[in-house]
Amino acid sequence: MQAKAAVAGMDILLGNDEAAHASINRLIADFNDHPSLPQTLFRIGEEYYRKASQKKNEGLKAESDYYSQNAITV
């Protein structure tokens, strides 16, 4: 599970959001009854939050809002 979560995190860092969403969906489907899934998804959400903060610091409000919304969604 951690390896799949790491792949999603890397996709977020690389800006490959479509692949990140696919990885998150696979993670949920494969580990929906695993007790640490919520914590794992929370960490993925934190990656989106960090990306939103980075974009905000760069003055890119629209992109910051996009990544903030992804953090909330996850």
Side-chain angles (χ1 to χ4, degrees), residues 23-56:
S23 294
I24 292 166
N25 289 336
R26 278 193 304 275
L27 195 63
I28 293 169
D30 292 347
F31 298 100
N32 64 349
D33 59 347
H34 197 281
S36 63
L37 178 63
Q39 183 180 15
T40 300
L41 293 174
F42 182 80
R43 284 197 307 266
I44 293 170
E46 286 181 318
E47 285 298 323
Y48 275 121
Y49 178 78
R50 281 192 281 279
K51 187 87 170 192
S53 294
Q54 173 192 356
K55 295 300 180 181
K56 183 178 180 181

